[in-house]
Amino acid sequence: MVHYGHSNQLRQARAMGDYLIVGVHTDEEISKHKGPPVFTQEERYKMVQAIKWVDEVVPAAPYVTTLETLDKYSCDFCVHGNDITLTVDGRDTYEEVKQAGRYRECRRTQGVSTTDLVGRMLLVTKAHHSGHEISSEYREYADSFGKCPGGRNPWTGVSQFLQTSQKIIQFASGKEPQPGETVIYVAGAFDLFHIGHVDFLEKVHGLAEKPYVIAGLHFDQEVNHYKGKNYPIMNLHERTLSVLACRYVSEVVIGAPYAVTAELLDHFKVDLVCHGKTEIVPDKDGSDPYQEPKRRGIFCQIDSGSDLTTDLIVQRIIKNRLEYEARNQKKEAKELAFLEARRRQEVPRERESDWDF
């Protein structure tokens, strides 16, 4: 997958130098070393390119990073999270560049992993929503999801993401609309931020010569009201960072009202309001949530050209449920074996990675 944990590591990596090149693995490489990817390689190439700290994407990057690869793209060094990523046979994929002194580390984002997000989709619970108390069922799942028999790895599994003001500041642009810029407002759940969202926001961004795109994110309970089941998969805090990391978005309204009101339009001095081709669910009183921008003649419907939805991503996961559970068991078994070997060598512990695009 590509999630805000990856975005945060790319943000940290970009701050270490002047130009950030991101290598993205193929589906074949990920399937061989880790398990079935959630997003296809083409989706992941475009997703990573849409992250605002990325200068260049290298498709089909080798799973094991070598000095030859760094030299090919004129890179001084490579960056990875402070955890371990292993090959199918249990080797550290950064061993060669570490030995050559061309390796740097950044801090892994606590509280998010592909393992956790996949688990939320498989376990139909609302425990991850803001304001929901974590149930005993979810705690039991968090302790056991994808664990290999007898596994005692303290790192594979689920932890809770804790939002801070500092994290939002790090992700936010901090820029206000300037004279001559066109303020465009979009609203929605933006759950499991994916290529459909990227395509939509890219088209919205292209509607003006100098766009200032504001994304309004609905509260978890609001999203659950119109989406049902255990949606949103990502809570409001997580969705905020996912959208802020996108290069086409200038500002985010955290907990935007479902109806686009006159007050909201006037407050942000909105010139244009856009919505995709997805169904517009009426407000709780039966009214059209976009009636005010339509009345003002500033409403525009955009066809992203993508048919990918959050529902389709969840369907991919459920279809491959057994494969994903096996992936996590295999991942933990590799991690435990690596740690045991490290302990024998009396080397400090490291963590196995969910940071593979």
Side-chain angles (χ1 to χ4, degrees), residues 2-275:
V2 182
H3 53 65
Y4 67 90
H6 299 132
S7 300
N8 190 37
Q9 287 182 303
L10 295 174
R11 177 190 65 79
Q12 293 176 76
R14 181 65 175 78
M16 294 180 187
D18 306 302
Y19 191 84
L20 180 62
I21 300 174
V22 184
V24 183
H25 308 311
T26 62
D27 294 345
E28 184 182 1
E29 281 277 82
I30 292 177
S31 298
K32 176 184 173 184
H33 293 281
K34 297 202 68 154
V38 179
F39 295 158
T40 68
Q41 60 197 42
E42 296 301 327
E43 289 168 349
R44 289 181 287 109
Y45 297 155
K46 193 161 187 180
M47 285 285 295
V48 174
Q49 188 62 71
I51 295 171
K52 61 186 177 185
W53 298 287
V54 176
D55 295 300
E56 185 181 336
V57 168
V58 173
Y63 199 77
V64 175
T65 304
T66 63
L67 294 173
E68 182 185 357
T69 300
L70 294 188
D71 292 338
K72 181 180 178 182
Y73 296 101
S74 304
C75 295
D76 296 296
F77 57 88
C78 67
V79 182
H80 192 265
N82 58 337
D83 43 14
I84 281 290
T85 179
L86 304 173
T87 62
V88 69
D89 54 2
R91 286 190 306 111
D92 181 354
T93 59
Y94 290 90
E95 189 176 351
E96 183 180 319
V97 290
K98 283 178 179 177
Q99 289 175 354
R102 293 173 68 181
Y103 175 84
R104 305 284 187 277
E105 252 175 26
C106 59
R107 291 183 62 186
R108 187 177 186 273
T109 308
Q110 295 295 323
V112 64
S113 67
T114 299
T115 305
D116 182 16
L117 295 174
V118 166
R120 293 183 199 178
M121 291 179 247
L122 293 177
L123 190 82
V124 185
T125 174
K126 299 178 187 177
H128 53 278
H129 290 180
S130 300
H132 266 266
E133 199 174 317
I134 295 183
S135 64
S136 57
E137 179 195 16
Y138 191 70
R139 286 193 186 282
E140 185 181 335
Y141 146 72
D143 290 339
S144 65
F145 178 68
K147 285 214 168 170
C148 62
R152 303 205 174 276
N153 184 344
W155 307 319
T156 296
V158 184
S159 56
Q160 210 175 0
F161 171 68
L162 300 174
Q163 181 71 286
T164 63
S165 57
Q166 182 62 27
K167 189 64 64 196
I168 293 175
I169 290 166
Q170 288 169 342
F171 272 59
S173 68
K175 296 175 184 173
E176 295 189 348
Q178 300 301 306
E181 288 186 325
T182 302
V183 178
I184 307 173
Y185 182 76
V186 298
F190 292 97
D191 193 16
L192 287 177
F193 197 74
H194 55 72
I195 197 67
H197 299 132
V198 170
D199 287 340
F200 168 70
L201 291 168
E202 184 180 17
K203 288 207 171 178
V204 168
H205 190 268
L207 290 175
E209 191 177 332
K210 295 179 180 177
Y212 186 93
V213 178
I214 301 173
L217 301 188
H218 301 142
F219 283 111
D220 295 344
Q221 288 72 19
E222 192 75 66
V223 175
N224 188 250
H225 173 74
Y226 64 79
K227 287 281 290 181
K229 298 179 185 174
N230 67 327
Y231 291 111
I233 303 300
M234 283 182 158
N235 66 43
L236 179 59
H237 302 308
E238 297 173 309
R239 292 183 284 121
T240 296
L241 295 186
S242 298
V243 176
L244 279 174
C246 180
R247 64 173 71 247
Y248 307 118
V249 174
S250 304
E251 179 65 289
V252 166
V253 180
I254 305 170
Y258 185 65
V260 182
T261 61
E263 289 83 1
L264 185 147
L265 296 175
D266 294 341
H267 178 82
F268 291 108
K269 298 180 172 57
V270 175
D271 299 303
L272 190 62
V273 175
C274 296
H275 188 271

